[in-house]
Amino acid sequence: MREACAIEVHNLTTTYGGAPVLWDIDFELPAGHIIGIIGPNGSGKTTLLKTIMGLLPASSGYVKIFDKDLEQIRHKISYVPQRESVDWDFPASVFDIVMMGRYRKNNLFKRTNKTDLEIVLQSIEKVGLTKYKDRQIAQLSGGQQQRVFIARALAQKADIYLMDEPFVGVDAATEHSILKLLKEMRDLGKTVLIIHHDLQTVSDYFDYLVLLNTRLIAKGTPQEVLTEENLTNAYGGQLTLLAKVANLIKVNQFPIREKDVDL
Amino acid sequence: MGELWIIITASIVALNAAILGCFLLLRKMAMVGDAISHAVLPGIVVAYYLSGDKTSGLLLLGATLTGVLASFAIDFLSRKAKIQGDASIGITYTFLFAVGMIMISTMMNGNTDIDMECVLYGDISLINLDKIVVDGNLYLGPRAFYIEVIALVIIGFSIGFGFKGFKVLSFNEDYAKALGINTNRWHYALMTLVSLTTVFSFEVVGAVLVVGFLIIPPATAQLFSTKLKQMLFWASVFGILAVIIGYYLAVWMNVSITGAMVTVAGIDFFLVLIIQRLVDRKKRSTTFAAPEFITPTPKNSVE
């Protein structure tokens, strides 16, 4: 049996000021997996996520989610923007921000109800921030702020999660606990799409990969995607990177992690 | 009695401005408030020319629309024409303001009721001249007071009713969009309210100093507020405080009333800033004094 398709991107092109940021991207992503989007800086990873989410207009092509148009199924998708994209000095507590996950187009004028409250408290509990729920978000560490965003996404009770670099500025322990949470979500049948930049960890984290550099370079299981050819295609002739790529392939063939390789 | 009316009317101006200013500030759009307050000038002149009355509903509505138009123009320039944000603000409001200046000097030639001075600085001490009197002798207070009350009702109702919408728009616009919320609609609702506040209060405090009421009290409140509602509350308190202290200061020193009010607001800001810094330093020095290395408590511990 063929796996259900969660996200279908068809011949998608997105431009910024005339120059294409994404060019003719075409893929189908299976449901119930943790999927990584990787590629060099400026390769259109964030643009791809924003276009899927309808935040940027596509110049051509379309996106279907579970075979439906975005507007029909928006409530099933949860978006986690980059942590740096907001001002954390905003006067609000952890609870206030996670509560935003319960906001909908048609309940903005209503009071929040008991179910909302329960879901929000559960979501905060899941990311381990119950102790800090009344703390102002400025007084949290980077990792805690990231977990606030994840709790907010959880509170949406979605089926698909689109996360933009959730592991940036997060310490190793938090990264581990976030990953555990994502795996639990996957086991419940949720689809998680994550933009990731750390090539060292991709094969451990993801079941499925999309390698991007304006065009789609490769997609599939980590073994299929992380070949020397694909990575050179994506990262080009950047000398320092070639060494990293070679190292990565080694890591991929022999699952021994060398965390301290830093280029 | 006249004195009290002035203070009450100005307090409502401050209250309106403080509430909206909080959202402008949190959206990093303080300068948009400035732009709108200048850009309404041609609207005021045209509406005045057509109605011949400084306080008619037509004037207020027409001018409010100009402000909204200005924010349209700013968004168009920055989003579609890809002009950088602060430049598009500068282009739009100086242009509209200049048009308004020419209009005043040509269309209002010799008119004593409306001139640059009046539009820019308002004249709070004269609001009592324009009274609302019922039955020939029942004095109900200055007209400006009622105009401000109308503005307060509109703003209070909009913000109270749409609190969640304005909150999510201010914190994370992209996220609001991802939730399917029409952020454009909310943005222009806020711009309309800002425009309305400036126009409704131009006669009282003038189009320039209203910016002081829009920005300074919310900025003061933001220094220490940890909740949005708390920020709204304290911004209002600082605004009204500036009005009261400023009024008596102006009377005592015989200077411009509105000028004194905004000056007091500015002094309040720096006082709070200094106090906050001192408190912070004290807090930090006590933390350092604690023997952290004996009982290590990792700050970023993960439960």
Side-chain angles (χ1 to χ4, degrees):
Chain A
M1 196 191 89
R2 202 170 151 268
E3 279 173 307
C5 161
I7 301 172
E8 182 197 349
V9 172
H10 186 76
N11 289 351
L12 188 77
T13 296
T14 306
T15 54
Y16 184 80
V21 184
L22 291 176
W23 185 258
D24 205 19
I25 305 282
D26 196 290
F27 59 72
E28 289 180 7
L29 298 178
H33 286 278
I34 301 179
I35 302 160
I37 302 179
I38 51 173
N41 287 337
S43 58
K45 303 188 292 285
T46 297
T47 307
L48 175 64
L49 220 58
K50 285 189 171 178
T51 314
I52 293 176
M53 207 60 237
L55 302 177
L56 291 172
S59 307
S60 70
Y62 62 81
V63 175
K64 293 254 189 206
I65 315 271
F66 288 123
D67 254 344
K68 291 202 175 93
D69 282 332
L70 177 69
E71 287 310 322
Q72 294 171 286
I73 202 158
R74 204 182 262 283
H75 57 284
K76 294 279 185 203
I77 318 166
S78 175
Y79 171 61
V80 180
Q82 276 178 27
R83 187 167 60 87
E84 292 84 5
S85 67
V86 304
D87 178 9
W88 289 92
D89 281 332
F90 194 89
S93 65
V94 171
F95 179 85
D96 293 336
I97 301 302
V98 179
M99 186 52 99
M100 287 180 186
R102 298 306 301 162
Y103 287 14
R104 294 293 177 277
K105 197 175 170 179
N106 46 17
N107 77 0
L108 278 181
F109 298 111
K110 293 186 195 136
R111 289 179 156 271
T112 47
N113 59 35
K114 239 185 173 162
T115 330
D116 291 333
L117 184 74
E118 269 169 34
I119 292 172
V120 168
L121 291 177
Q122 272 172 17
S123 308
I124 295 175
E125 172 90 55
K126 264 187 202 152
V127 297
L129 286 178
T130 305
K131 215 165 83 188
Y132 303 101
K133 86 176 160 54
D134 294 318
R135 191 176 278 202
Q136 199 211 336
I137 50 172
Q139 291 157 4
L140 300 174
S141 69
Q144 287 167 338
Q145 288 174 345
Q146 191 63 61
R147 283 188 279 160
V148 171
F149 263 7
I150 289 172
R152 183 176 70 171
L154 290 177
Q156 269 181 262
K157 294 274 171 204
D159 288 337
I160 296 182
Y161 294 81
L162 307 179
M163 304 189 172
D164 199 342
E165 305 247 24
F167 298 120
V168 165
V170 163
D171 59 62
T174 307
E175 187 161 333
H176 184 76
S177 68
I178 290 176
L179 194 70
K180 203 174 133 222
L181 196 64
L182 297 180
K183 284 186 170 154
E184 277 169 27
M185 284 155 65
R186 174 193 62 193
D187 296 342
L188 290 170
K190 316 273 186 194
T191 309
V192 189
L193 189 59
I194 292 178
I195 293 181
H196 198 60
H197 69 283
D198 183 9
L199 286 174
Q200 306 295 323
T201 49
V202 279
S203 42
D204 298 334
Y205 286 6
F206 304 112
D207 321 329
Y208 199 90
L209 282 178
V210 173
L211 180 60
L212 209 64
N213 191 355
T214 306
R215 295 159 186 273
L216 179 71
I217 305 285
K219 58 168 179 171
T221 61
Q223 284 73 27
E224 288 163 11
V225 171
L226 298 175
T227 63
E228 189 167 1
E229 194 194 347
N230 284 339
L231 288 168
T232 337
N233 275 342
Y235 288 87
Q238 297 166 48
L239 276 174
T240 45
L241 267 160
L242 283 179
K244 199 169 181 174
V245 166
N247 181 53
L248 185 73
I249 291 157
K250 244 181 262 158
V251 170
N252 198 31
Q253 283 158 354
F254 311 97
I256 302 160
R257 281 181 64 184
E258 286 176 313
K259 259 254 153 179
D260 54 346
V261 178
D262 195 10
L263 294 162
Chain B
M1 195 57 199
E3 197 171 64
L4 195 63
W5 280 119
I6 290 178
I7 292 180
I8 293 175
T9 309
S11 295
I12 304 176
V13 172
L15 193 61
N16 289 339
I19 293 171
L20 293 176
C22 285
F23 291 100
L24 281 182
L25 211 66
L26 291 172
R27 297 193 63 204
K28 321 267 176 248
M29 293 186 128
M31 287 327 281
V32 173
D34 189 21
I36 288 179
S37 69
H38 284 77
V40 293
L41 185 62
I44 292 175
V45 181
V46 168
Y48 184 80
Y49 187 73
L50 293 176
S51 67
D53 182 358
K54 201 159 58 166
T55 47
S56 80
L58 180 70
L59 183 143
L60 299 175
L61 267 174
T64 300
L65 230 73
T66 330
V68 179
L69 228 99
S71 72
F72 266 125
I74 292 170
D75 292 337
F76 174 80
L77 286 181
S78 57
R79 283 185 205 168
K80 296 277 186 288
K82 305 260 185 262
I83 312 269
Q84 69 189 56
D86 46 358
S88 46
I89 292 175
I91 294 168
T92 311
Y93 94 83
T94 47
F95 170 66
L96 284 169
F97 187 71
V99 170
M101 272 171 80
I102 293 176
M103 283 168 133
I104 281 194
S105 60
T106 52
M107 292 158 75
M108 297 293 149
N109 210 359
N111 192 317
T112 49
D113 223 19
I114 189 163
D115 56 18
M116 285 303 284
E117 201 115 312
C118 151
V119 178
L120 287 185
Y121 309 119
D123 213 332
I124 203 166
S125 52
L126 298 182
I127 59 167
N128 283 313
L129 295 179
D130 194 1
K131 300 168 181 176
I132 290 187
V133 178
V134 180
D135 284 347
N137 58 6
L138 180 63
Y139 175 49
L140 288 179
R143 190 185 290 268
F145 167 75
Y146 289 98
I147 292 176
E148 284 311 321
V149 169
I150 293 171
L152 178 64
V153 170
I154 297 174
I155 290 166
F157 189 73
S158 313
I159 298 291
F161 207 56
F163 187 74
K164 286 161 79 179
F166 288 117
K167 185 175 176 180
V168 70
L169 178 79
S170 308
F171 178 62
N172 199 342
E173 193 170 336
D174 263 359
Y175 184 71
K177 252 187 235 170
L179 287 175
I181 295 166
N182 188 335
T183 48
N184 266 336
R185 212 173 283 166
W186 287 93
H187 169 70
Y188 287 113
L190 185 65
M191 293 301 115
T192 310
L193 291 175
V194 172
S195 184
L196 185 122
T197 314
T198 3
V199 171
F200 276 45
S201 48
F202 91 91
E203 202 197 357
V204 184
V205 295
V208 173
L209 286 179
V210 74
V211 184
F213 286 107
L214 271 174
I215 298 171
I216 305 176
T220 315
Q222 203 193 4
L223 288 174
F224 59 87
S225 297
T226 56
K227 286 268 202 177
L228 183 54
K229 280 183 184 154
Q230 187 192 10
M231 179 173 167
L232 288 167
F233 172 78
W234 283 106
S236 310
V237 169
F238 283 118
I240 294 171
L241 212 66
V243 165
I244 298 172
I245 300 174
Y247 180 81
Y248 288 107
L249 192 73
V251 170
W252 177 54
M253 291 170 60
N254 196 21
V255 291
S256 149
I257 296 173
T258 350
M261 288 174 179
V262 177
T263 308
V264 169
I267 293 171
D268 279 351
F269 174 81
F270 284 110
L271 278 180
V272 173
L273 183 68
I274 291 166
I275 292 170
Q276 201 225 10
R277 282 287 143 89
L278 288 178
V279 170
D280 257 17
R281 189 174 300 171
K282 204 169 172 196
K283 247 190 225 161
R284 217 169 295 150
S285 63
T286 45
T287 338
F288 279 133
E292 267 182 297
F293 47 89
I294 296 176
T295 49
T297 43
K299 206 175 139 207
N300 304 339
S301 63
V302 178
E303 309 67 37

